[in-house]
Each structure stands twice: as structure tokens, then as C-alpha cells.
Amino acid sequence: MTEQIVLEHVTKTFTTKELGSVTAVNDFNLVVHKGECFSFLGPSGCGKTTTLRMIAGFEDLSSGSIYLGGKLVSDRSKNIYLPPEKRGLGMVFQAFAVWPHLNVFDNIAYPLKVKRFSKNDIREKVLQAMHYCNLDGLEKSFPSDLSGGQQQRIALARAIVVNPEAMLLDEPLSNLDPHLRETMRFEIKRLQKEFGFTIIFVTHDQSEAMALSDRMLIMDMGNIQQIGTPAELYNHPKNRFVHSFLGQSNFINVDVRDGRVYPAGQADVPLWVDKLPEKSGEQVLATRPNTMILNREEGFPCRIIKRTFKTDFVEYLLKIGEDNAIVQAPHRELFKNGEACYLKIYNSVYYDRENEEAAKERERRNIV
Ligand code: ADP
Ligand code: MG
């Protein structure tokens, strides 16, 4: 596998009057391979755009180095900085970044004009990019005459027209309605297959990242939390943040004593769990609504507080010690509101209780 985009110890600190100093990206290490579709996933304000802007060359690094195709393109200490137009990247951003005063042809031709291609070359390349992006026949239209989806296709065509080694896509679908998002996701994958470029796709939408990515990373407050395939991250989340960010989660405060797991605030009856933690003491048991099984024979005795019918399953609210938990079960074995039943917990993972400092820092950064 060829390394296409490499970040080594990349850090970016902003200093503002309101917040003082904020490390937007902290010691970021990453290797994206040629032809890979790689997503950055994380809540708003976690540093996704800043990282992308540093790769693109729009933002200076506070420290660290960035390599593109084996070439060092950003390194503060060595005084190396290659400008964006020389990095061989295509970029599409969240806002429809098309020029309203230029028609579709001129919008797409712009990067080629900057690179001083001949008129004939420009015409050929633009028409081809338009064709790939399903914009045939719209050369003379202006962006304001077109739909949001078409405008985003212009941005996409303008990015691929230079035949980039890699595409950086910063929430390119966020402004589109759900149906169009689906279509555009598919289009992006199709273009990638056609051209073979590497993609870094930034999103805060977990299902989008899961659907598109070969691998992805989850970040929080400037720190990479975990890197892996969508399945690895969903099935083996390394910490509570990753667990809660991908898919639905139940977190149950527990106290582990003598090889048994007791729910917090209910010290007499242990839970039925498929796995025990390595250590004793207070911690958090994490599981998903679809890996908890309700039955009438054995397990942890509990009571259904609320039942909600959904299309593909029935959802039950339970109280376990001091926490609420949601269980999803098939329609064929119904439990009644208020019914006493038993619970078995599978795919149990254990984490330390939440760290107070992380919560304070989140508050300081106005992230909820
Ligand atoms: P995301 O794209 O994940 O939503 P950003 O990379 O835009 O996050 O922002 C990460 C953090 O850096 C945020 O706390 C944001 O306020 C801060 N930040 C981003 N750009 C600037 C800037 N130009 N000046 C000061 N702070 C900034
Ligand atoms: Mg952003």
C-alpha cells in the first residue's frame, strides 16, 4: 500500500481573546493510503476542518509535519510550506463554494485557468468533468438557476477537473436534503472508482461515515480517539466516547466485587453479563440496545417501565440500578408494560467512570 497523506505529530493551537488558547488539533498522527476513502468523524468543534485546512495548505501548523505522496509539504521547524495550488488536491467544502457571477463552465474551468492550460485543453477537461458529474448541457447556466444538488456537483466537478491525487471533502453533503445526500454519496464513490483518487471525507454524521469509509477516525476536542474500519470502531470501541458516538449505547454505572457486577445503587443482585471486567471497583458497563436480551427464565430480574413500538423492533425502557437502559427486541416476543422479566447483557465492555477534567474542558470550549 502506498502512503498518500501522512501527518506526523501535527498540532494547531489558536489563541483568541474570548477563550484564550485552544488546541484545536493535538499531536495528530495519521497515514492515509492511496485510493483509500478515509473519514474524519466527530462532534462540531472537534478539529476536523482545521486538520483538513492544514492538509490543504490553508492553515499553518503550530508543530509537526505533513507529507503528500511522499513529499514534505508542511513543516514549521524546517520552514517548509507548499501553497495549496501546488499540492495536487481537489477540495469541496460544506457551503456551496461556487462563484455566483461565473457560469457553470467558468466555475469549473477556474483551477485550469490558474494553471494556464490552453483553451482547447480547458474545454475538453471541463466538458469531461461535467459529464462525470452529470452536468451535461449546463455550461452556460448560472449557479443561482440550479438546485443545491447541482451546485454541489459543480463544486465536485471543479475539484476533479485538475485530476487530483486526493480529494478533501469537508461536510460536502450537509446542506442537501436526505435523499440527495444518498445520491451524492453514491456519486462520490462512483467518481472515486473511476479516477482512483484518495478521499478524506469530513462529517459529523455517523451513518454517512460508516457507509462511505474504508477506514475512519473518531476525534474529540482535537484528539484522535480511535482509528479503524467502521466494523472495528462499532464492535470494539476503545473508550466511552467512541462507544457513544457510533450507534446507540447504554451506559450503566456498576460496582464490581468478588467477580460479580452489581448495578450502582442496587448492591444486592448482580447483573447477568457475558464478560467480566479485568479489575474490581466502580466503573461503567457499556452495551447496545440490540445486544441486551429480555427473557422470562433467567438473568437479572427487572421490570419494563415503558414499551414503544418501532417498525423493525420493539423498544423497552428499563431501570438498572440508578440508570435507565433501552433494549430492542423482536416483535415476536412481546413483553407488557410493567411486566417483570429477566435481562442478559451481551457484548459488555467496561470503561472507567467519566473523567471530570474532560467534561470541564468541553464546557470551556462551548461544546455540549
Ligand atoms: P470542526 O470542523 O470539527 O467543527 P474546527 O476545526 O472548525 O472544528 O474547530 C476546532 C476548534 O478550533 C474549535 O474550538 C474552534 O472554535 C477553533 N477554531 C477554528 N478555527 C479558528 C480560528 N481561525 N481562530 C480561533 N479558533 C479557531
Ligand atoms: Mg468543520
Side-chain angles (χ1 to χ4, degrees):
M1 276 189 287
T2 318
E3 297 182 351
Q4 180 76 48
I5 301 171
V6 177
L7 281 75
E8 285 176 0
H9 302 293
V10 169
T11 296
K12 177 74 186 183
T13 303
F14 290 109
T15 307
T16 61
K17 272 199 196 114
E18 309 87 62
L19 296 177
S21 150
V22 168
T23 301
V25 178
N26 184 28
D27 194 22
F28 204 97
N29 292 290
L30 176 69
V31 175
V32 179
H33 298 109
K34 197 170 167 62
E36 200 172 18
C37 183
F38 194 100
S39 296
F40 292 178
L41 179 64
S44 182
C46 73
K48 305 181 294 294
T49 295
T50 305
T51 308
L52 215 63
R53 286 173 56 80
M54 288 192 286
I55 297 171
F58 293 126
E59 198 84 65
D60 216 357
L61 281 58
S62 301
S63 61
S65 347
I66 297 178
Y67 297 82
L68 295 177
K71 181 177 171 190
L72 184 60
V73 295
S74 285
D75 189 309
R76 181 91 167 256
S77 64
K78 293 187 181 142
N79 215 8
I80 287 174
Y81 168 75
L82 192 71
E85 65 277 11
K86 297 205 168 141
R87 294 193 176 207
L89 301 170
M91 276 160 280
V92 180
F93 295 103
Q94 175 176 8
F96 306 130
V98 289
W99 289 290
H101 61 287
L102 295 181
N103 68 24
V104 173
F105 186 95
D106 290 334
N107 258 288
I108 301 169
Y110 185 83
L112 298 174
K113 286 186 180 156
V114 172
K115 287 179 183 281
R116 301 188 182 283
F117 277 86
S118 75
K119 235 182 165 150
N120 282 341
D121 267 1
I122 291 180
R123 184 151 188 88
E124 190 185 324
K125 285 175 192 290
V126 170
L127 292 180
Q128 196 187 26
M130 287 183 62
H131 179 66
Y132 278 120
C133 296
N134 291 332
L135 290 166
D136 288 319
L138 295 174
E139 295 91 299
K140 298 225 162 65
S141 305
F142 280 85
S144 56
D145 301 330
L146 302 175
S147 69
Q150 284 169 321
Q151 293 189 34
Q152 205 56 328
R153 276 171 218 269
I154 301 176
L156 211 54
R158 194 178 53 198
I160 65 167
V161 79
V162 294
N163 199 14
E165 289 286 324
M167 289 276 261
L168 308 181
L169 306 170
D170 192 355
E171 312 219 9
L173 311 179
S174 313
N175 288 341
L176 305 179
D177 67 55
H179 177 69
L180 205 51
R181 283 176 85 128
E182 245 341 286
T183 318
M184 288 297 287
R185 252 186 233 166
F186 181 75
E187 298 275 295
I188 289 171
K189 286 299 263 192
R190 180 179 63 81
L191 287 170
Q192 187 192 19
K193 273 216 185 93
E194 198 91 39
F195 290 85
F197 45 67
T198 309
I199 292 182
I200 294 187
F201 188 90
V202 167
T203 180
H204 62 267
D205 178 331
Q206 39 160 306
S207 56
E208 199 159 273
M210 299 275 286
L212 271 172
S213 322
D214 299 312
R215 285 189 308 146
M216 56 203 238
L217 67 78
I218 295 190
M219 57 193 294
D220 181 35
M221 291 196 288
N223 294 297
I224 295 180
Q225 300 295 316
Q226 196 171 350
I227 299 180
T229 63
E232 278 163 3
L233 298 195
Y234 181 80
N235 293 313
H236 305 287
K238 235 168 64 180
N239 58 35
R240 181 180 172 142
F241 182 83
V242 176
H243 201 298
S244 67
F245 205 78
L246 271 193
Q248 267 185 286
S249 303
N250 285 310
F251 294 110
I252 303 159
N253 283 322
V254 294
D255 193 6
V256 182
R257 275 179 282 125
D258 311 322
R260 292 182 169 230
V261 181
Y262 294 92
Q266 196 176 333
D268 42 350
V269 191
L271 292 168
W272 191 105
V273 289
D274 66 332
K275 255 191 269 82
L276 285 171
E278 280 161 16
K279 55 182 184 186
S280 295
E282 291 188 349
Q283 45 210 297
V284 179
L285 162 60
T287 180
R288 300 201 188 271
N290 56 14
T291 55
M292 301 171 90
I293 309 284
L294 283 174
N295 71 91
R296 294 192 171 90
E297 284 92 43
E298 63 162 342
F300 175 74
C302 54
R303 199 173 284 281
I304 310 286
I305 297 176
K306 191 171 167 240
R307 178 176 79 178
T308 311
F309 283 102
K310 304 268 170 149
T311 45
D312 296 323
F313 51 80
V314 182
E315 204 163 79
Y316 298 97
L317 176 70
L318 311 175
K319 194 155 180 82
I320 302 177
E322 60 191 23
D323 295 293
N324 288 330
I326 301 277
V327 177
Q328 291 167 354
H331 280 274
R332 69 186 133 78
E333 306 160 12
L334 276 185
F335 293 85
K336 293 195 254 335
N337 269 328
E339 185 175 342
C341 54
Y342 296 97
L343 177 71
K344 292 183 171 185
I345 300 176
Y346 291 89
N347 283 35
S348 353
V349 212
Y350 298 88
Y351 301 119
D352 290 337
R353 295 272 173 102
E354 193 163 52
N355 153 350
E356 291 282 319
E357 257 164 52
K360 271 188 204 149
E361 177 62 13
R362 200 178 297 283
E363 203 166 300
R364 186 175 84 92
R365 294 184 184 213
N366 297 319
I367 305 171
V368 269

